[in-house]
Amino acid sequence: FGRGEQEAAWRADADGVPGDAPRIALCDTYSDEVDEVLRAVETLGDDLDGVRLDTTGSRRGDFRHIVREVQWELEARGHGDVDVYVSGGLGPADLRDLRDLADGCGVGGYVSNADPVDFALDLVAVDGEPAAKRGKLAGAKSVY
């Protein structure tokens, strides 16, 4: 799936997991968080249990404001029961700041007893064409 194919990705994910499993849609890959959240609600309807904002630090800005804006828009459209989860390079200070807003969080590098090498295995090209999520540099790269 690529840019403009988010709805197909959410449907495929929903179809691929057992019916009683919570449906959580990743919503910030190619466009604005609110835009993708509202598209996920429209696509999955009442089957949508939550959304995950995995906004990269380079695009995040005021993450509290983004989460509040997403929750506001969900509530305004009658979907206040959709949970909002956050992730994307979050550390202890971020978690303390978001704990009163977010329904849950994902952490990676901070759950380690060693200094982590912070990297992500993001898609950056599909069939040779640059294709990266917002905040990432598109195109194949060499690692030395």
Side-chain angles (χ1 to χ4, degrees):
F1 305 102
R3 185 174 306 280
E5 304 280 333
Q6 293 94 311
E7 289 83 355
W10 296 320
R11 277 191 220 96
D13 181 67
D15 291 344
V17 296
D20 59 346
R23 302 296 194 262
I24 310 296
L26 178 61
C27 294
D28 72 342
T29 305
Y30 292 113
S31 66
D32 175 77
E33 292 86 356
V34 171
D35 171 64
E36 287 198 15
V37 164
L38 297 179
R39 288 168 57 195
V41 167
E42 185 175 310
T43 300
L44 299 176
D46 291 335
D47 290 337
L48 182 65
D49 295 296
V51 295
R52 178 175 151 219
L53 308 178
D54 188 47
T55 306
T56 62
S58 63
R59 291 282 189 246
R60 189 175 301 138
D62 184 347
F63 209 18
R64 273 189 73 80
H65 181 76
I66 292 169
V67 173
R68 286 188 4 236
E69 183 181 3
V70 164
Q71 291 171 328
W72 176 276
E73 296 297 334
L74 285 167
E75 186 68 40
R77 288 165 173 77
H79 298 285
D81 59 331
V82 173
D83 291 336
V84 177
Y85 300 93
V86 295
S87 61
L90 302 176
D94 302 304
L95 300 179
R96 281 190 293 277
D97 184 50
L98 296 167
R99 69 180 170 209
D100 62 322
L101 288 178
D103 294 290
C105 61
V107 295
Y110 278 93
V111 183
S112 172
N113 64 353
D115 289 337
V117 175
D118 191 15
F119 71 95
L121 298 174
D122 292 309
L123 290 177
V124 293
V126 175
D127 295 329
E129 295 296 319
K133 75 178 276 184
R134 293 178 335 126
K136 301 292 181 166
L137 302 175
K141 298 158 190 73
S142 297
V143 177
Y144 299 94

